[in-house]
Amino acid sequence: MFNALPTQIDETVRAWTWDDDIKPYFDDLLGRELTADTVDQWLADWSAIGKVIWEMMARARVATTQNTVDEEAEAFYTHLLEDIVPQLSVAGNQMNKKLVDSGLEPDNFELPLKKMRTDIELFRAENIPLNTEEQKLGMAYAKITGAQTVEWDGEEQTLTQMRKAMEDHDRERREAAWHLMMNRWLQDRDAINDVWVKLFDLRKQMAANAGFDNYRAFRWQQFKRFDYTPQDCQTFRDAIEAVVVPAAKRVHERRRARMGIDSVRPWDLAVDPMGREPLRPWATINEFAEKAETIFNNVDPQLGGYYATMRAEDLMDLPNRKNKGPGAYCTSYPLIGRPFVFMNAAGTRDDVRTLLHEVGHAFHGFETQALPYLQQRSYPIEFAEVASMAMELLAAPYLVEDQGGYYNAAEHARDRVSHLEKILLFWPYMSVVDGFQHWAYTSGDAAADPANCDAKWAELWDRFMPEDWSGLEDVKMTGWHRKQHIYRYPFYY
C-alpha cells in the first residue's frame, strides 16, 4: 500500500479523511513486528506517509499566509487542524512509543530517539485541542497584521511598503510617516491584546497539563534544548548589556553626529546619515530574483542550481501586498523534496538580506534530503539559523555589480557597513524579545494582563535600546505587538 502513495498534493489528497485515507497506513505500521531486520523498512514507510501529510499541512499553512483573507484556504487549514492533526498526534505518539519500546537503535538515529523519548514524556491528550486553538489564534494575529494599511501620498500602502518613507531625507516627512504607521498599530491594540490573553492562558494550561510549573520549562523541552538552559540565556543577555549595548550606543552617537541632530529618534534609524540617496537594489521582482541567482552561483554553483530549481518550480513568494501575512520564512515540501520561501519584498536593501537569509534556510532543506528518514531531518532552530545567517555573510562579497549583484562599488561598501552594524544592533533587540518571553512565562499570572506586558517591554527597551523614545510611550511599550514570534512562535528567539 505504501508503494501507491501519491507523489503530489492534488485535490484527491486534499479530500482525504482520517478514517478512510490516513488511519489505514498507521494501523499497518503499528501492527507490524519490529526487529533489527524490519526496522529500516518500517521507518521508510513511516517517512513515506509522513511526507504526504507534512506537505499537505505546509501547503495549507502557506496558503493562509499568502492571503490572510482567503476564506477557502483558512477553512481547509482549519479542517486539517481540527480533523486530521488531533488523530495524527495520537498516532504519532503511538509510533514513537513502538520504536522506543522496541529497544532498537537504527544507524544514525541516536538524536531522533532522544527527541522521541522527550515527545513521549510531553504528550498529553488534553493538550491536542489546545494546540489546535493555538494555531487558530496565530492565524488571527496574522489576519490582523496583514490587513494593516495607511494612506500616504494619496495611495494605500502596506506598513511594509511604508518602510521606504523611513529613508526619506526630509525628517519631518519621516516622522509623519512613522506616526502614521504606529498609529495604525495602535488601532489594533485591543485586538492584539485579546489574542495574547487567549494565547497566554492556553500555554499556561498546556504546561500544567504536562506537569510543568511554567510554560517556559515546557517549551524548552518541546524545542529539545538539551544543550543549554534558560540561565544561559540570562548570562548571554547580561553579556550583551555589558559589551554590545555600549557599542550600539557608539553606533547611534556616530549617526547623531553625522545627521547633526540632538538625538536619534525612531524615525532616524533607516535614513542614510550622510545624506546619500536610499539604496534601491531592484526595480522589479524578476530583477530581484534573477540577480540573486547570479550571486548564489558565485557563492557555489550547486547552491545556484538549487536556487534555479526554486525559481523554475515557482517555490518562492517574494513581493509584499495587502493581506499578505507578516515577515518571512522558509518551509519544507518533503513529498517533492523542495523548500518554499515566503517574504515581503518592497524595494529596499533589507529585501536583499531577507532573501539571502531565507534561501540559506532553503539550501539547508535541500541538503537534508540526503537523509533517508523524515525523523532525521528535524534540526533545532538554533542550527537552522546558522545556515541562514551564514548565507547573508557568505553572499555579501558578491552583491557588487561586477559580480552580477545589486550595487556599484560605493553602494556595496555602504551596504556592507550597514549590514554589519545591523547585526550588532540586532543583539540588544534580541535581548528585549528574549527577556520579555522569559519574564512572561515565569511570572505567574502577571503577563495575563497586557498592561503588565507593556510595562515590562518598556523596561527592557530602556535597558537595551539606545534610541530616544521620549514622548512616545504608547508606541514604545506596545513594541511586543510588532514581533510576531511572541504570538506565533514563542521562544523561537
Side-chain angles (χ1 to χ4, degrees):
M1 65 188 297
F2 287 86
N3 291 332
L5 278 167
T7 57
Q8 61 180 349
I9 305 300
D10 55 20
E11 289 306 311
T12 301
V13 177
R14 285 170 56 89
W16 273 10
T17 65
W18 175 261
D19 287 338
D20 293 337
D21 302 293
I22 303 176
K23 184 175 181 291
Y25 289 100
F26 286 96
D27 287 345
D28 179 284
L29 290 164
L30 290 167
R32 293 186 201 175
E33 181 183 4
L34 267 189
T35 68
D37 293 330
T38 64
V39 68
D40 287 338
Q41 186 60 51
W42 187 81
L43 287 170
D45 288 343
W46 185 8
S47 295
I49 182 61
K51 290 175 186 177
V52 177
I53 299 169
W54 183 333
E55 182 158 329
M56 181 163 55
M57 290 292 304
R59 287 182 179 273
R61 175 181 173 272
V62 166
T64 66
T65 58
Q66 289 181 305
N67 184 354
T68 60
V69 295
D70 184 335
E71 294 181 357
E72 182 179 339
E74 182 178 344
F76 180 64
Y77 189 46
T78 300
H79 152 66
L80 294 178
L81 291 174
E82 292 179 343
D83 301 330
I84 302 298
V85 172
Q87 307 280 2
L88 184 65
S89 298
V90 174
N93 184 59
Q94 293 170 333
M95 294 287 288
N96 286 344
K97 291 177 71 174
K98 184 176 180 69
L99 180 57
V100 169
D101 291 347
S102 75
L104 296 169
E105 296 187 3
D107 291 340
N108 198 25
F109 222 75
E110 179 182 354
L111 188 54
L113 280 171
K114 187 175 184 179
K115 292 178 178 179
M116 287 178 182
R117 293 186 185 101
T118 301
D119 285 334
I120 291 168
E121 292 174 0
L122 292 178
F123 180 82
R124 298 292 187 278
E126 56 267 37
N127 276 345
I128 294 174
L130 301 185
N131 287 324
T132 299
E133 187 60 27
E134 184 182 30
Q135 295 303 310
K136 290 181 182 179
L137 288 167
M139 284 194 291
Y141 175 85
K143 186 176 289 190
I144 292 167
T145 58
Q148 291 173 332
T149 63
V150 296
E151 185 173 321
W152 182 250
D153 287 343
E155 295 183 5
E156 184 181 31
Q157 300 277 314
T158 68
L159 301 195
T160 297
Q161 291 164 345
M162 285 294 292
R163 291 174 186 169
K164 285 185 177 180
M166 293 296 95
E167 298 176 309
D168 196 305
H169 291 305
D170 186 329
R171 196 182 191 203
E172 289 186 0
R173 271 179 61 83
R174 290 200 311 274
E175 181 178 358
W178 185 89
H179 281 290
L180 192 64
M181 290 188 291
M182 294 303 105
N183 286 336
R184 181 63 188 86
W185 273 102
L186 289 173
Q187 288 176 30
D188 290 324
R189 187 174 187 174
D190 290 342
I192 295 174
N193 280 340
D194 183 60
V195 170
W196 165 258
V197 170
K198 293 175 181 176
L199 283 169
F200 182 83
D201 289 343
L202 277 175
R203 289 166 182 166
K204 180 182 176 183
Q205 188 61 53
M206 283 191 282
N209 289 345
F212 289 87
D213 292 337
N214 60 70
Y215 179 74
R216 181 182 71 178
F218 173 72
R219 189 66 164 160
W220 219 258
Q221 293 300 303
Q222 274 195 324
F223 271 135
K224 315 302 188 295
R225 287 180 170 152
F226 304 131
D227 302 311
Y228 68 101
T229 69
Q231 182 55 48
D232 291 325
C233 293
Q234 176 67 57
T235 301
F236 189 29
R237 290 197 303 275
D238 291 344
I240 289 170
E241 183 176 22
V243 178
V244 182
V245 170
K249 289 179 178 178
R250 293 194 295 273
V251 170
H252 278 59
E253 172 55 26
R254 189 160 59 240
R255 170 174 286 271
R256 186 204 64 76
R258 286 173 174 171
M259 294 180 69
I261 54 181
D262 292 335
S263 63
V264 175
R265 304 286 271 166
W267 47 86
D268 297 323
L269 297 173
V271 67
D272 184 76
M274 299 173 70
R276 295 166 295 192
E277 288 303 306
L279 293 178
R280 294 286 180 256
W282 58 274
T284 68
I285 282 291
N286 187 61
E287 176 195 1
F288 178 46
E290 189 171 319
K291 287 185 176 180
E293 187 168 337
T294 302
I295 291 164
F296 290 129
N297 273 307
N298 284 331
V299 175
D300 184 272
Q302 184 173 353
L303 300 182
Y306 287 156
Y307 180 79
T309 296
M310 295 182 69
R311 288 190 69 201
E313 298 180 9
D314 195 23
L315 292 167
M316 298 185 292
D317 183 354
L318 304 183
N320 171 252
R321 56 184 176 268
K322 183 180 178 180
N323 292 319
K324 189 174 182 180
Y329 63 79
C330 176
T331 192
S332 172
Y333 294 160
L335 182 59
I336 63 170
R338 298 285 191 265
F340 180 89
V341 162
F342 170 100
M343 65 174 288
N344 279 278
T348 69
R349 62 183 175 188
D350 284 344
D351 298 334
V352 175
R353 278 192 286 277
T354 299
L355 182 61
L356 298 177
H357 181 104
E358 298 304 335
V359 175
H361 284 306
F363 293 156
H364 192 182
F366 272 109
E367 288 296 316
T368 64
Q369 297 302 313
L371 295 168
Y373 308 127
L374 198 59
Q375 296 78 11
Q376 294 171 311
R377 300 179 190 176
S378 174
Y379 41 78
I381 56 175
E382 291 82 355
F383 193 76
E385 294 301 340
V386 171
S388 55
M389 300 295 286
M391 188 51 56
E392 295 182 36
L393 296 165
L394 289 168
Y398 305 106
L399 301 185
V400 67
E401 286 174 346
D402 64 12
Q403 296 287 338
Y406 300 96
Y407 304 118
N408 63 37
E411 291 171 337
H412 184 230
R414 178 178 155 195
D415 178 73
R416 184 71 165 143
V417 170
S418 173
H419 185 200
L420 295 174
E421 280 189 347
K422 286 191 173 186
I423 290 173
L424 185 149
L425 294 172
F426 173 73
W427 285 354
Y429 176 74
M430 176 186 71
S431 299
V432 175
V433 178
D434 183 57
F436 176 83
Q437 293 182 118
H438 284 261
W439 165 80
Y441 294 111
T442 61
S443 59
D445 289 328
D449 183 348
N452 292 335
C453 295
D454 289 349
K456 187 62 179 183
W457 182 271
E459 173 195 323
L460 289 164
W461 196 266
D462 290 341
R463 176 180 164 191
F464 284 98
M465 304 299 287
E467 311 96 57
D468 177 7
W469 283 72
S470 56
L472 306 170
E473 279 68 26
D474 270 1
V475 179
K476 178 175 69 175
M477 70 175 56
T478 52
W480 60 290
H481 285 184
R482 300 188 288 278
K483 175 43 63 180
Q484 69 160 329
H485 296 70
I486 291 171
Y487 301 84
R488 307 199 73 183
Y489 318 107
F491 285 105
Y492 190 103
Y493 274 44

